PDB file of all heavy atoms in Angstrom:
ATOM      1  N   TYR J 250     105.949 100.709 113.875  1.00 97.00           N
ATOM      2  CA  TYR J 250     106.097 100.595 112.425  1.00 97.00           C
ATOM      3  C   TYR J 250     105.011  99.674 111.873  1.00 97.00           C
ATOM      4  O   TYR J 250     104.513  98.787 112.558  1.00 97.00           O
ATOM      5  CB  TYR J 250     107.455  99.968 112.052  1.00 97.00           C
ATOM      6  CG  TYR J 250     108.660 100.829 112.294  1.00 97.00           C
ATOM      7  CD1 TYR J 250     109.346 100.785 113.507  1.00 97.00           C
ATOM      8  CD2 TYR J 250     109.153 101.665 111.291  1.00 97.00           C
ATOM      9  CE1 TYR J 250     110.480 101.563 113.718  1.00 97.00           C
ATOM     10  CE2 TYR J 250     110.284 102.440 111.489  1.00 97.00           C
ATOM     11  CZ  TYR J 250     110.945 102.383 112.701  1.00 97.00           C
ATOM     12  OH  TYR J 250     112.063 103.154 112.900  1.00 97.00           O
ATOM     13  N   ARG J 251     104.720  99.870 110.589  1.00 97.00           N
ATOM     14  CA  ARG J 251     103.840  98.960 109.863  1.00 97.00           C
ATOM     15  C   ARG J 251     104.619  98.442 108.662  1.00 97.00           C
ATOM     16  O   ARG J 251     105.287  99.228 107.958  1.00 97.00           O
ATOM     17  CB  ARG J 251     102.580  99.702 109.397  1.00 97.00           C
ATOM     18  CG  ARG J 251     101.634  98.860 108.582  1.00 97.00           C
ATOM     19  CD  ARG J 251     100.330  99.584 108.311  1.00 97.00           C
ATOM     20  NE  ARG J 251     100.471 100.735 107.443  1.00 97.00           N
ATOM     21  CZ  ARG J 251      99.445 101.493 107.040  1.00 97.00           C
ATOM     22  NH1 ARG J 251      98.208 101.188 107.437  1.00 97.00           N
ATOM     23  NH2 ARG J 251      99.645 102.528 106.256  1.00 97.00           N
ATOM     24  N   GLN J 252     104.533  97.126 108.432  1.00 95.00           N
ATOM     25  CA  GLN J 252     105.247  96.535 107.302  1.00 95.00           C
ATOM     26  C   GLN J 252     104.268  95.845 106.365  1.00 95.00           C
ATOM     27  O   GLN J 252     103.513  94.967 106.778  1.00 95.00           O
ATOM     28  CB  GLN J 252     106.315  95.545 107.765  1.00 95.00           C
ATOM     29  CG  GLN J 252     107.151  94.991 106.624  1.00 95.00           C
ATOM     30  CD  GLN J 252     108.291  94.114 107.098  1.00 95.00           C
ATOM     31  OE1 GLN J 252     108.167  93.338 108.036  1.00 95.00           O
ATOM     32  NE2 GLN J 252     109.445  94.238 106.439  1.00 95.00           N
ATOM     33  N   THR J 253     104.299  96.235 105.109  1.00 93.00           N
ATOM     34  CA  THR J 253     103.524  95.580 104.063  1.00 93.00           C
ATOM     35  C   THR J 253     104.429  95.351 102.865  1.00 93.00           C
ATOM     36  O   THR J 253     105.477  95.989 102.729  1.00 93.00           O
ATOM     37  CB  THR J 253     102.318  96.431 103.616  1.00 93.00           C
ATOM     38  OG1 THR J 253     102.823  97.684 103.079  1.00 93.00           O
ATOM     39  CG2 THR J 253     101.378  96.726 104.756  1.00 93.00           C
ATOM     40  N   MET J 254     104.010  94.441 101.989  1.00 88.00           N
ATOM     41  CA  MET J 254     104.803  94.187 100.794  1.00 88.00           C
ATOM     42  C   MET J 254     104.875  95.430  99.921  1.00 88.00           C
ATOM     43  O   MET J 254     105.907  95.747  99.342  1.00 88.00           O
ATOM     44  CB  MET J 254     104.192  93.022 100.014  1.00 88.00           C
ATOM     45  CG  MET J 254     104.375  91.668 100.671  1.00 88.00           C
ATOM     46  SD  MET J 254     106.105  91.198 100.757  1.00 88.00           S
ATOM     47  CE  MET J 254     106.441  90.959  99.019  1.00 88.00           C
ATOM     48  N   MET J 255     103.756  96.143  99.846  1.00 85.00           N
ATOM     49  CA  MET J 255     103.699  97.278  98.926  1.00 85.00           C
ATOM     50  C   MET J 255     104.487  98.474  99.426  1.00 85.00           C
ATOM     51  O   MET J 255     105.134  99.178  98.650  1.00 85.00           O
ATOM     52  CB  MET J 255     102.230  97.679  98.709  1.00 85.00           C
ATOM     53  CG  MET J 255     101.426  96.665  97.935  1.00 85.00           C
ATOM     54  SD  MET J 255     102.056  96.450  96.260  1.00 85.00           S
ATOM     55  CE  MET J 255     101.702  98.053  95.570  1.00 85.00           C
ATOM     56  N   ARG J 256     104.449  98.735 100.732  1.00 86.00           N
ATOM     57  CA  ARG J 256     104.991  99.993 101.262  1.00 86.00           C
ATOM     58  C   ARG J 256     106.210  99.796 102.153  1.00 86.00           C
ATOM     59  O   ARG J 256     106.771 100.785 102.643  1.00 86.00           O
ATOM     60  CB  ARG J 256     103.892 100.737 102.012  1.00 86.00           C
ATOM     61  CG  ARG J 256     102.681 101.060 101.136  1.00 86.00           C
ATOM     62  CD  ARG J 256     101.569 101.707 101.966  1.00 86.00           C
ATOM     63  NE  ARG J 256     101.956 103.021 102.436  1.00 86.00           N
ATOM     64  CZ  ARG J 256     101.724 104.149 101.783  1.00 86.00           C
ATOM     65  NH1 ARG J 256     101.123 104.113 100.616  1.00 86.00           N
ATOM     66  NH2 ARG J 256     102.100 105.312 102.286  1.00 86.00           N
ATOM     67  N   GLY J 257     106.604  98.543 102.378  1.00 89.00           N
ATOM     68  CA  GLY J 257     107.791  98.295 103.183  1.00 89.00           C
ATOM     69  C   GLY J 257     107.561  98.649 104.644  1.00 89.00           C
ATOM     70  O   GLY J 257     106.460  98.519 105.157  1.00 89.00           O
ATOM     71  N   LEU J 258     108.618  99.119 105.299  1.00 93.00           N
ATOM     72  CA  LEU J 258     108.572  99.485 106.716  1.00 93.00           C
ATOM     73  C   LEU J 258     108.269 100.972 106.851  1.00 93.00           C
ATOM     74  O   LEU J 258     109.090 101.812 106.492  1.00 93.00           O
ATOM     75  CB  LEU J 258     109.921  99.198 107.375  1.00 93.00           C
ATOM     76  CG  LEU J 258     110.125  97.874 108.079  1.00 93.00           C
ATOM     77  CD1 LEU J 258     111.575  97.680 108.432  1.00 93.00           C
ATOM     78  CD2 LEU J 258     109.261  97.777 109.324  1.00 93.00           C
ATOM     79  N   GLU J 259     107.113 101.271 107.391  1.00 93.00           N
ATOM     80  CA  GLU J 259     106.710 102.671 107.553  1.00 93.00           C
ATOM     81  C   GLU J 259     106.658 103.014 109.041  1.00 93.00           C
ATOM     82  O   GLU J 259     106.027 102.295 109.817  1.00 93.00           O
ATOM     83  CB  GLU J 259     105.302 102.886 107.011  1.00 93.00           C
ATOM     84  CG  GLU J 259     105.075 102.570 105.567  1.00 93.00           C
ATOM     85  CD  GLU J 259     103.589 102.716 105.250  1.00 93.00           C
ATOM     86  OE1 GLU J 259     102.835 101.752 105.493  1.00 93.00           O
ATOM     87  OE2 GLU J 259     103.185 103.797 104.771  1.00 93.00           O
ATOM     88  N   LEU J 260     107.260 104.128 109.400  1.00 94.00           N
ATOM     89  CA  LEU J 260     107.160 104.611 110.771  1.00 94.00           C
ATOM     90  C   LEU J 260     105.801 105.280 110.952  1.00 94.00           C
ATOM     91  O   LEU J 260     105.440 106.186 110.208  1.00 94.00           O
ATOM     92  CB  LEU J 260     108.270 105.606 111.073  1.00 94.00           C
ATOM     93  CG  LEU J 260     108.242 106.235 112.467  1.00 94.00           C
ATOM     94  CD1 LEU J 260     108.484 105.192 113.546  1.00 94.00           C
ATOM     95  CD2 LEU J 260     109.268 107.355 112.573  1.00 94.00           C
ATOM     96  N   LEU J 261     105.061 104.824 111.959  1.00 96.00           N
ATOM     97  CA  LEU J 261     103.742 105.405 112.228  1.00 96.00           C
ATOM     98  C   LEU J 261     103.841 106.538 113.239  1.00 96.00           C
ATOM     99  O   LEU J 261     103.316 107.631 113.027  1.00 96.00           O
ATOM    100  CB  LEU J 261     102.792 104.327 112.754  1.00 96.00           C
ATOM    101  CG  LEU J 261     102.559 103.133 111.827  1.00 96.00           C
ATOM    102  CD1 LEU J 261     101.643 102.110 112.513  1.00 96.00           C
ATOM    103  CD2 LEU J 261     101.974 103.568 110.502  1.00 96.00           C
ATOM    104  N   ILE J 262     104.518 106.273 114.354  1.00 96.00           N
ATOM    105  CA  ILE J 262     104.610 107.242 115.438  1.00 96.00           C
ATOM    106  C   ILE J 262     105.777 106.855 116.321  1.00 96.00           C
ATOM    107  O   ILE J 262     106.167 105.689 116.365  1.00 96.00           O
ATOM    108  CB  ILE J 262     103.297 107.261 116.266  1.00 96.00           C
ATOM    109  CG1 ILE J 262     103.307 108.358 117.330  1.00 96.00           C
ATOM    110  CG2 ILE J 262     103.025 105.898 116.892  1.00 96.00           C
ATOM    111  CD1 ILE J 262     101.950 108.558 118.014  1.00 96.00           C
TER     112      ILE J 262
END
Side-chain angles (χ1 to χ4, degrees):
Chain J
Y250 289 91
R251 177 172 67 178
Q252 184 175 39
T253 61
M254 288 295 292
M255 291 297 294
R256 301 176 67 91
L258 266 169
E259 301 175 276
L260 178 65
L261 301 177
I262 185 171

